[in-house]
């Protein structure tokens, strides 16, 4: 299936299985942008808005939601994150670089497994693509061992599921090969300083001169 759709210039997304280090690298990139006075906004999905809060309840297991409900909540949260007041589209219009920890590729990978590929594909079909997708590749065994110190693991944070997510991500990301979006795969098993440099190399290549 062709994945050609609108691309949002200046929009950058970090994706990878749980424990692959996207959140750490988002923070490092934010620090670097601040030092360089690059006008930017940094955000994440699930968001910290009301729909995102509900998703966190479901991920913790406190709200025992149907997999299809979770898929719909992620799509609703994404619409707010993108089009809501001061959302990604507003920030890009204001001339900022917008960087998000996770986006629709997470739904296609995770919810593609929990409720079948059709529903998340349909729910996410109309969202535009980022200019740059940074795909963090990490062996699930290493990712899970990195998460051992975390308290209260969420419903997806177990080795069997993460192995399936890793395969699903490979399929999902390669389905966008001809989309016109720039995709950079990073070896997330390297130390954080090394990964930070790889992120910077990819990001600086798309920054306006
Ligand atoms: P986080 O660990 O990056 O905060 O993300 C929370 C969890 O939500 C993580 O296991 C990935 C999952 N997730 C989905 O299943 N679908 C989505 O669309 C998004 C954005 C995240």
């Amino acid at each position: 299936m062709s994945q050609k759709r609108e691309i949002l210039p200046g929009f950058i997304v970090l994706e990878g299985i749980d424990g692959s280090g996207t959140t750490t690298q988002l923070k490092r990139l934010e620090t670097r942008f601040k030092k360089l006075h690059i006008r930017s906004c940094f955000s994440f999905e699930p968001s910290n808005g009301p729909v995102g809060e509900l998703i966190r309840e479901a991920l913790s297991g406190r709200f025992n939601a149907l997999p299809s409900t979770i898929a719909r909540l992620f799509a609703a949260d994404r619409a707010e994150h993108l089009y809501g007041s001061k959302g990604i589209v507003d920030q890009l219009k204001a001339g900022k670089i917008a960087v998000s920890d996770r986006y629709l590729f997470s739904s296609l990978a995770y919810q593609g497994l929990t409720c079948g590929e059709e529903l998340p594909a349909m729910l996410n079909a109309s969202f535009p693509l980022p200019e740059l997708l940074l795909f963090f590749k990490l062996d699930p065994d290493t990712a899970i061992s990195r998460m051992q110190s975390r308290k209260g693991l969420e419903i997806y944070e177990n080795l069997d599921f993460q192995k399936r997510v890793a395969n699903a991500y490979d399929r999902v990301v390669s389905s966008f090969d001809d989309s016109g979006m720039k995709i950079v795969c990073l070896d997330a098993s390297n130390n954080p300083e090394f990964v930070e440099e790889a992120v910077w190399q990819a990001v600086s290549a798309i920054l306006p001169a």
Side-chain angles (χ1 to χ4, degrees):
M1 194 177 61
S2 167
Q3 290 283 12
K4 285 229 182 315
R5 28 176 137 171
E6 184 193 356
I7 291 182
L8 296 178
F11 183 28
I12 299 169
V13 167
L14 281 61
E15 289 275 3
I17 62 170
D18 290 84
S20 61
T22 58
T23 307
T24 303
Q25 292 301 331
L26 186 95
K27 287 186 190 139
R28 285 177 175 241
L29 187 59
E30 186 170 12
T31 305
R32 202 183 269 244
F33 270 29
K34 274 201 183 123
K35 271 193 200 141
L36 296 171
H37 305 290
I38 296 171
R39 295 182 62 236
S40 53
C41 83
F42 286 77
S43 56
F44 45 85
E45 294 187 6
S47 74
N48 52 7
V51 187
E53 299 279 312
L54 196 49
I55 293 172
R56 289 279 170 209
E57 287 291 297
L59 293 178
S60 70
R62 287 189 295 273
F63 165 30
N64 186 12
L66 291 171
S68 57
T69 302
I70 297 183
R72 291 178 208 280
L73 287 174
F74 273 119
D77 188 44
R78 183 157 302 127
E80 289 297 324
H81 182 210
L82 203 60
Y83 302 115
S85 160
K86 301 208 178 100
I88 300 286
V89 168
D90 279 356
Q91 304 287 346
L92 293 171
K93 274 191 192 142
K96 294 185 190 170
I97 300 288
V99 190
S100 177
D101 185 0
R102 299 192 178 281
Y103 187 53
L104 61 85
F105 312 96
S106 287
S107 281
L108 299 180
Y110 288 75
Q111 280 65 58
L113 291 171
T114 58
C115 57
E117 289 176 14
E118 210 170 303
L119 181 65
M122 189 265 286
L123 291 170
N124 289 281
S126 64
F127 291 121
L129 298 178
E131 179 176 358
L132 173 64
L133 168 62
L134 297 169
F135 179 34
F136 286 55
K137 299 264 292 173
L138 185 63
D139 161 51
D141 289 286
T142 311
I144 286 287
S145 68
R146 282 185 184 175
M147 285 189 287
Q148 289 313 325
S149 58
R150 288 192 198 169
K151 278 199 192 119
L153 290 180
E154 294 178 338
I155 54 173
Y156 301 144
E157 293 176 335
N158 65 79
L159 183 57
D160 281 352
F161 188 70
Q162 291 299 320
K163 282 184 175 165
R164 294 174 60 216
V165 177
N167 287 328
Y169 254 129
D170 287 343
R171 285 195 303 277
V172 165
V173 172
S174 59
S175 77
F176 286 89
D177 276 349
D178 299 325
S179 64
M181 165 179 72
K182 189 168 182 195
I183 302 172
V184 175
C185 295
L186 301 165
D187 180 355
S189 67
N190 285 313
N191 68 50
E193 289 68 35
F194 194 92
V195 179
E196 183 183 339
E197 281 316 305
V199 167
W200 182 243
Q201 219 178 6
V203 167
S204 53
I206 70 147
L207 292 178

